[in-house]
Each structure stands twice: as C-alpha cells, then as structure tokens.
Amino acid sequence: MSTSTPEYDTVIIGGGPAGLTAAQALTRYRHRSLVVESPYPPRNQASRGAHGMIGLDCATPAEVRDRAWRELNHYGLAELRRTTADDVVPLPEGGFRVRLADGTAAWARTVLLATGVRDLHPEGVEGFEECWGRTVIRCPFCIGWENADRSWAVIADDPDYALMAGTAFRAWSGDVIAIAPLDMDRADQVRRTLQEAGSDLVQGDIARLHHHNGDLHTVELADGTRIARQTLLWPPSQEQVPLVRRLTTTLGLVRDDDGFVTVDATRRTSVPGLYAAGDLTTQWERGAIEAAAAGAAAAGAIHFAGLH
C-alpha cells in the first residue's frame, strides 16, 4: 500500500456501542484501529439515557461516547475520523481499501461494519418527531420504565404483533390497546381476542399526535376519531445505510430475507475479512448492551483470526 494511505489493523465503520466496544477490545489486544463515525446526529439522539448497561444506566448516548473516547485516548491506539465511509474495496494483495467521504482513504487488514440502520419515520404524522424517543417509543425494554403506568397503544400492521397488546406489555401498563390500519388481515379475530383479554383494537390511519412538549395525550385518526393515549409503542420501518446496500451489490454481501446482514457466531460476514456487529445484523437484539456484546465478539474473532 502507498505510504500516503494510513494503515490500520482494523477500520471500524460506526461509532455506537458495537463499534466503540470493538475499538476498546481491539486496543486491549494491541491492535491499531480507525473508527469512522458519521458527523450526522446518531439514530439514538432522542434517547434521554442508555439503559441496561451496568455502571452507565441513565447516561445519555453522548455521555457514553465521550467517556468511551476518554478511555480509548488513554491507550492511543484508536483514532477517530468524523466522516462516512463511501466504499470498502478488497485488494489483490490482501486487506481492504476504505474510501471515506472526506476524500481520504485508509488501508486495513480487516473491516468491521457497525453502522446500525436507519429508522424510517412515518410521513405526514403531525407531532411524531416531537414525541419520538420520549412518549413514542420503539422498544419497551429501552424506555418502558419511563413510560410505566400510563395508557399505551401498540401501533401494528401485522395481526400477530397487534395481538401482543393483550398481554405482552403488562409489566409496564395495565391499559394497552392496538391501533392498526383499516386493511389489516384478521382484524375481527384480533379484536375479539384482545377484547377477551381486556384490551381492544382500533382501526384507522394516524394523522396527528396531540402532546405537550413531547408528552403525548391524544391520538387523532384521519377520520377525526380521537383516542386518549399517553404512550405509543411504534417501531418504525428501517433500512440499511447506503454503504451496506452498496456492498450487497459490489461484494455480494449476504443479507437475510428481512434485509439484515448475515453473520456467523463470530460476527463474520460472507466476505472474508469483513465483519459486522450491532443493529445492522438483527431486528431483535437491539439494546445498547447487545450491540456492545456483538462488538466485543467481533473484536475477539478479528484478533484470533490474525493468529492463524
């Protein structure tokens, strides 16, 4: 590789819990890494605290990142670059050339994708952004405690998910209904089952969320119906970031039927030398601590693969 191109053991693309944990673990393995962190606001910017991480409960995502970099800078083996990665190109002689949006490039023996995914917020729903991350939530395990003992609604277009409103969230609320579109399959069956469980199904398109500074109190449907609710469990649709979509085409990076990057138990992807950890690999294990664990697993695999 040209001496004008910086060389690293690993380039980590993404500076969230997965990427930063991997950077810390690789540092402890005495690997030199580059963490490429997008300059744009992170997906968890609306979060008022990272929960479930022992010793860091209620610390904001920004506070977690700042502390992580103070620790990493103590060792001096991890470098931060605030930009995005445009491409990852395998080289004939081995390793990868990572092309960055700031016009620079880096060479690395291995690359770890820790980009997360993009949330696709519903368009045209007044009040959604103001309530998002506070009283409109995507995960009860992340912020259910802060919304406990309030009236909830589960926003669902899948009948099986709508049925969960009857029993699945009783740890946080005894008043949970489902709100679903008019064309949802098996709606009559879902409604009967929910009503038997003391819940209910309301159908219609959500047009507006009435709130006081992000504190939801009423959901308004397109037909004018108003429903008194204080918390919405509303997991938005998601998509992979542009880099991951590009690598699916250029490198044949394998993704599953739901669009998530396929990895083995050691976080290796279908491309030799390319690893992935965090939300881009799963729709279920979405907490910060699960992402951190995946980052640690990837770092261990990267280190031990280099011994052979």
Side-chain angles (χ1 to χ4, degrees):
M1 198 70 193
S2 168
T3 56
S4 63
T5 302
E7 298 185 13
Y8 302 90
D9 294 302
T10 303
V11 170
I12 301 168
I13 304 174
L20 290 177
T21 302
Q24 185 183 64
L26 287 169
T27 290
R28 296 289 297 178
Y29 289 128
R30 304 189 76 181
H31 291 231
R32 186 169 180 239
S33 64
L34 172 68
V35 179
V36 179
E37 182 177 8
S38 171
Y40 302 109
R43 177 168 158 252
N44 62 2
Q45 66 172 325
S47 173
R48 299 190 174 196
H51 304 292
M53 300 184 73
I54 192 70
L56 291 171
D57 191 52
C58 294
T60 67
E63 289 169 343
V64 173
R65 287 192 295 273
D66 288 346
R67 176 167 178 170
W69 276 107
R70 287 198 301 271
E71 294 172 353
L72 286 167
N73 288 336
H74 169 74
Y75 296 97
L77 289 177
E79 178 184 335
L80 172 64
R81 192 84 58 84
R82 292 192 181 278
T83 185
T84 56
D86 286 343
D87 204 1
V88 176
V89 181
L91 300 175
E93 64 271 24
F96 297 88
R97 185 177 187 270
V98 181
R99 182 164 56 87
L100 304 178
D102 63 7
T104 65
W107 179 92
R109 291 189 299 105
T110 56
V111 172
L112 171 61
L113 298 174
T115 59
V117 292
R118 286 182 171 178
D119 287 329
L120 302 176
H121 291 178
E123 296 182 359
V125 178
E126 182 181 329
F128 181 92
E129 296 299 335
E130 292 85 347
C131 296
W132 176 248
R134 182 174 180 181
T135 55
V136 176
I137 65 177
R138 75 165 319 277
C139 171
F141 305 104
C142 298
I143 197 171
W145 178 279
E146 288 72 21
N147 282 271
D149 303 320
R150 295 162 59 92
S151 58
W152 284 32
V154 177
I155 311 305
D157 56 12
D158 175 79
D160 292 323
Y161 187 65
L163 284 168
M164 294 176 66
T167 58
F169 308 108
R170 287 180 177 170
W172 300 280
S173 174
D175 181 4
V176 185
I177 65 171
I179 299 177
L182 294 169
D183 60 354
M184 187 183 75
D185 293 338
R186 299 168 24 216
D188 290 341
Q189 173 200 345
V190 170
R191 181 176 291 105
R192 286 194 302 270
T193 302
L194 288 179
Q195 289 175 346
E196 290 170 0
S199 180
D200 203 357
L201 170 67
V202 178
Q203 289 183 269
D205 295 325
I206 297 175
R208 184 174 293 104
L209 302 181
H210 297 272
H211 63 94
H212 297 298
N213 297 320
D215 189 4
L216 177 70
H217 58 82
T218 304
V219 177
E220 183 177 344
L221 303 184
D223 63 3
T225 300
R226 294 194 174 199
I227 309 162
R229 291 289 102 178
Q230 296 170 300
T231 296
L232 300 185
L233 179 58
W234 195 342
S237 299
Q238 296 173 326
E239 67 177 9
Q240 297 286 356
V241 303
L243 173 65
V244 173
R245 299 201 302 270
R246 178 186 180 91
L247 298 182
T248 301
T249 300
T250 60
L251 299 186
L253 180 66
V254 174
R255 292 194 273 160
D256 64 21
D257 293 340
D258 294 314
F260 294 94
V261 174
T262 300
V263 294
D264 65 14
T266 63
R267 322 311 296 178
R268 291 182 297 186
T269 73
S270 59
V271 179
L274 183 65
Y275 296 74
D279 289 356
L280 77 163
T281 68
T282 177
Q283 61 179 319
W284 301 114
E285 297 176 355
R286 287 298 184 82
I289 196 164
E290 289 88 357
I302 289 169
H303 174 69
F304 289 108
L307 301 179
H308 301 289

